[in-house]
Amino acid sequence: MRKLIPIIQTLICYLFIVLFVYAAVSKLIDFETFQTQLGQSPLLASYAIPISYGIIAIELVTAIFLMFERFRAFALQISLFLMVMFTTYIIIILHFTAFTPCSCGGVLEKLGWTEHLIFNGVFVGLALIGVRITNISQTWRGYVIQQFFLILIGIVSVTILYGLSEKKSQYNNAFTRKYIPHLAEKQTTFDLESTGYYIAGIDSCYLYLANTETPLFLKRYDYLANQMKDIKLEIDQYNLPYKRVIAYVQTPYFYLGDGSVGILFRGKIDDWKAKTISKGDVYYNQFVVADSSKFGIATYSTKIKANVLGLLSAHHLQLNYGSLEKQLDGTFESDGTLLWNSQLKKFIYVYYYKNQYLEFDAALAEMKTGHTIDTVSKVQIDVAYYKKTQQYKLGPQTLLVNKLASTYGNQLYISTDRLGNFEQKIEGTSVIDQYDLVNKSYTHSFYLYHSPKKQLRNFRIYKNKIFAIVDHELYIYNKRK
């Protein structure tokens, strides 16, 4: 048996040399992919750049030390430490994260995460045997205590790194997304044959589509039976200088509004005839329906020369002058999307040009602030003044942070063209970031896959379905739990 000990020790060292050299060379050959995979890891994303260089260097140095007998005891301890860290990483990936990223490169990429865990466990055992053989004169008590603390340090190191990475991914200057692959599975598409459509409402059977170019016509899509029907709307006042009529459907009512003339209509969906419920009470940029007689509006206040939010009900207007933060001129920089969350009974306002959203109660009084994962806290807009038309317009250098937004249940969904760390633009996809409104936290991101060279123009979430307008096409996705 004693004659076999040197052979076993040499065999273990050679196995580790082959493993580390192969792993390091595989990473170097396709270094960009390796670094990107680390960048998509829920544990290591925030430290992907230093870790990508550090792992390769340590693996190569350890392999070199294992070649020389005088350094083998130390090199096997390093090998054990590395394998414990790799194994801990896989355990956390499998049991404590929302998704599993891509695996290592080379042949090991063929292994699943469970198989990878078994593979690493075998090498942890080999390292323990190798360390014991190298220090055969050491007492078993001393050996067990020494390896216990080494293993403990390896586990704690990865756990701490995970905690720091989770925190840093929320606040670092180069923000990092956590993607859940194939969260949205495309169910069906429908050609709307023209652009300008947006989602006006959703219920348990129907999706209602309106068009800015033909505001008195709706499309009602039965997404259970896959049938489309055209609906003509009627109003009691036609002779007004309408510029942009917006429709909402919130069963059993539908609503029409044009802020440029300060008018709101309401009607029932059983006859599609609307009557005026507000005229001249307020001129507004946006309105959302809270209930049949209460509306949230975004408007410009001449009193403070800034955008403000307000509540309109029964011809009574209540403005919250301190609702939106003023940084520059009070107009463009505070622009955003106003939403109503019917499950939480809250108004939500998502800023276009900075990483912030606001929550208000149903009375538009109590306010809470949340932040997106982007790091732009100060607006970066390019405003030009045109003397001929006496208008201010946004220039091409304006940085749009939060492009589109939707809310359902406890969640807020934001679509943006901004790319995070280790991301590249993937043709035919739109990025959706998901936030927990209760915990005020970013949870994950996912892709909506659609036709290439097309643009996501509007989307809404209803239960486990995602409805999206991409140019002239309607996409319906099932959202996996």
Side-chain angles (χ1 to χ4, degrees), residues 92-327:
I92 293 176
I93 284 289
L94 288 174
H95 298 286
F96 300 101
T97 62
F99 68 100
T100 54
C102 295
S103 186
C104 300
V107 176
L108 298 182
E109 191 172 11
K110 305 299 182 182
L111 298 178
W113 283 99
T114 303
E115 291 81 3
H116 218 132
L117 181 62
I118 297 171
F119 180 88
N120 281 13
V122 170
F123 272 86
V124 168
L126 290 174
L128 286 169
I129 295 171
V131 170
R132 179 57 185 164
I133 292 174
T134 305
N135 298 295
I136 195 70
S137 59
Q138 187 181 26
T139 64
W140 274 102
R141 177 183 173 83
Y143 165 76
V144 170
I145 293 175
Q146 183 182 32
Q147 304 321 307
F148 172 78
F149 279 106
L150 184 66
I151 291 172
L152 182 63
I153 292 171
I155 294 173
V156 171
S157 298
V158 177
T159 305
I160 292 175
L161 191 63
Y162 172 47
L164 293 175
S165 181
E166 281 285 284
K167 184 177 181 180
K168 191 174 180 183
S169 68
Q170 300 269 352
Y171 304 107
N172 65 346
N173 289 329
F175 68 91
T176 304
R177 286 189 173 92
K178 295 184 285 188
Y179 281 101
I180 295 186
H182 310 296
L183 181 68
E185 298 177 339
K186 187 169 66 175
Q187 178 184 352
T188 187
T189 60
F190 195 94
D191 189 354
L192 300 174
E193 299 179 350
S194 68
T195 58
Y197 279 99
Y198 60 93
I199 298 170
I202 310 171
D203 60 27
S204 58
C205 296
Y206 300 113
L207 170 72
Y208 298 92
L209 302 172
N211 195 315
T212 54
E213 297 176 358
T214 55
L216 294 182
F217 289 89
L218 290 180
K219 286 185 179 294
R220 186 178 69 185
Y221 179 63
D222 186 334
Y223 57 85
L224 301 179
N226 194 28
Q227 294 178 346
M228 188 76 76
K229 180 181 179 180
D230 292 322
I231 298 172
K232 188 178 185 303
L233 309 179
E234 295 183 19
I235 57 177
D236 59 2
Q237 295 192 58
Y238 290 96
N239 299 320
L240 288 173
Y242 297 111
K243 293 181 179 179
R244 191 172 184 268
V245 179
I246 300 298
Y248 277 96
V249 180
Q250 189 167 293
T251 55
Y253 296 99
F254 75 97
Y255 306 84
L256 292 169
D258 190 329
S260 64
V261 294
I263 196 166
L264 279 170
F265 300 92
R266 182 183 63 207
K268 288 194 173 182
I269 62 174
D270 55 2
D271 62 6
W272 299 104
K273 295 179 181 180
K275 294 183 179 180
T276 304
I277 59 173
S278 174
K279 183 180 179 183
D281 295 318
V282 61
Y283 297 90
Y284 53 87
N285 302 317
Q286 298 180 63
F287 83 97
V288 293
V289 181
D291 58 41
S292 60
S293 60
K294 185 166 65 177
F295 307 88
I297 58 106
T299 185
Y300 180 80
S301 170
T302 55
K303 179 180 178 180
I304 64 172
K305 293 181 170 48
N307 290 327
V308 298
L309 301 181
L311 199 63
L312 178 63
S313 58
H315 300 284
H316 175 69
L317 176 64
Q318 175 188 343
L319 295 179
N320 185 334
Y321 291 106
S323 54
L324 303 181
E325 183 182 3
K326 182 177 179 180
Q327 289 185 7

